[in-house]
Amino acid sequence: MATAEKLVQWNPTDIKAELIKKYPPKVARKRAKQIMINEALENGTPEITANVRTIPGIITMRGCTYAGCKGVIMGPTRDIVNLVHGPIGCSFYAWLTRRNQTDPGPEGPDGENFMNYCFSTDMQDQDIIFGGEKKLEQAIQEAYDLFHPKSIAVFATCPVGLIGDDIHTISKQMKEKLGDCNVYAFSCEGYKGVSQSAGHHIANNQVFRHIVGENDKPVEGKYKINLLGEYNIGGDGFEIDRVFKKCGITNISTFSGNSTYEQFATAHQADLNAVMCHRSINYVADMLETKFGIPWIKVNFIGAEATAKSLRKIAAYFEDQELIDTVEAVIAEEMPEVEAAATEILPRTGGKTAMMFVGGSRAHHYKELFDELGMKTISAGYEFGHRDDYEGRRVLPHIKVDADSRNIEEIVVEADETRYSPRKTEAELKALEDDGLKFKDYEGLAPDMEEGTLIIDDLNQYEAEKLVELMKPDIFCAGIKEKFSIQKLGVPMKQLHSYDSGGPYAGFKGAINFYKEIDRLVNSRVWSYMKAPWQENPQLSGTYVWE
């Protein structure tokens, strides 16, 4: 069914009313503020309530603070031992769940890679009663004796925060004892904050405090950047780095896909920070600018057109004609294959509809890929977004800091006495902005969504199923928790957290992979045949077998 025919069948106001109809009045009032009908207003987009606690009793799609810290930010770093202080279940939960990939690096196959290991203190009942600090000391020592890593990171889970183990003092003492191993800790108990977003903030704070700027050995490269908020899911980072190398751009450090300790330690030597996932990493971008003078721009390498646009933004920043010409040559070389794939697939995907409820920025990024397929995103939202992720950074001065946000430490950063060096003068930055290159800016999801579409924060299981029932999208994109319930409704579901078994979807070759994957999903008839067993062969009474 064409998009235009679908859209006339539902009214966003009616859909919103239907979504909250079964809630108790108080709950309905709260949820109504997190469901926004996108419309153009004179002073911008409508206000949405975000980054608030999930209402008790609702089955959220969110993760916890620990998941954001250990699983998202620190999980993709191959040569840091990530030691979880808590029950083994917490450590196992965050172990290789996002399909972060890594390569051997310059050391080759013998290089350090601890991502395959699951490190935990495995706290038991007696540790909860009597404390687990000595067990943590022993675990750090054992990890050091076995692997001799450059760094050991300690992560606190909920029980540790409740019993009061001082993981920071233990880490400091062990760092002094070991001498050549940087040991530090993250107070990322799962109950902190309202979602995994708090864990991102905690992780970034500690990485900046304990690692960034530790290595002043010069990094070679004419055009040096850091790529922030890219986690190499399904090999996305490999594809982006391939394109960078063709352009002659040196990516010093990716935060934190396919990353290493030394990359973080030398990140302060970059001349530009390119921010992918705004919500998970904007803290690091701001701190790098304040302390070392490195400006940042928002980029998106999800989608061929978005990749080309981002490469041009990077080239424009360096103001070097050689780089500008090289970037244009690379785009001209890569785009024909992309265009050929789109020409073949577009007749089968054009006019179809999609819904996306993913982590911060990712729904916004993938909308561009669906645009390239001629598909309409009729509803989208974030699991852990803040208002600025929806409405843009212009709303930052108007966001009230609540108790949950105050629970997350804010690092006070000042310009480094010896290493602060503005990469551009104020006049140069102003000239670039006048030419259309925006710094420290992110417009958010809402301005990019069509008028009349639904933007929903912290979507839950009930609302997801109701949306599919009412709006009948051709594809639904979210995470593993939603995957099978959506498929049972007869709608294809694509994981955009871990890509199922697919990827990469970033860059030029990734766009082609995504075109083919979506074409396969939305044009398969198998989902329309999906019926529950009781619909297919109803049996009203039990069958008894007597022996």
Side-chain angles (χ1 to χ4, degrees), residues 45 48-51 197 278-280 282-283 286 296 298 361 364 382 384-399 441-447:
T45 57
I48 188 170
T49 296
N51 192 39
S197 174
H278 170 263
R279 174 44 46 204
S280 67
N282 61 83
Y283 326 102
D286 284 337
W296 67 268
K298 180 72 176 68
S361 295
H364 193 186
Y382 299 138
F384 51 82
H386 297 202
R387 273 189 61 198
D388 50 314
D389 299 303
Y390 292 104
E391 304 171 56
R393 287 178 65 89
R394 63 179 181 80
V395 303
L396 284 176
H398 309 293
I399 296 178
D441 183 71
Y442 175 50
E443 292 184 354
L445 174 65

Side-chain angles (χ1 to χ4, degrees), residues 224-228 251-253 255 267 270 272-274 288 294:
K224 295 182 288 189
I225 71 168
N226 294 317
L227 180 61
L228 309 183
N251 181 17
I252 292 180
S253 176
F255 285 70
L272 174 69
N273 287 318
L288 281 168
I294 311 170

Side-chain angles (χ1 to χ4, degrees), residues 270-343:
D271 294 315
L272 174 69
N273 287 318
V275 175
M276 274 276 284
C277 181
H278 170 263
R279 174 44 46 204
S280 67
I281 208 75
N282 61 83
Y283 326 102
V284 171
D286 284 337
M287 290 189 292
L288 281 168
E289 182 169 18
T290 301
K291 187 170 183 177
F292 300 108
I294 311 170
W296 67 268
I297 59 173
K298 180 72 176 68
V299 296
N300 175 23
F301 289 100
I302 303 295
E305 293 294 337
T307 297
K309 181 180 177 182
S310 296
L311 290 173
R312 288 179 175 126
K313 287 172 73 172
I314 293 171
Y317 168 81
F318 283 103
E319 300 180 279
D320 188 301
Q321 193 60 47
E322 179 185 352
L323 178 60
I324 293 171
D325 292 343
T326 302
V327 163
E328 290 301 330
V330 169
I331 294 171
E333 182 181 339
E334 296 281 344
M335 283 302 290
E337 187 179 356
V338 176
E339 291 165 352
T343 300

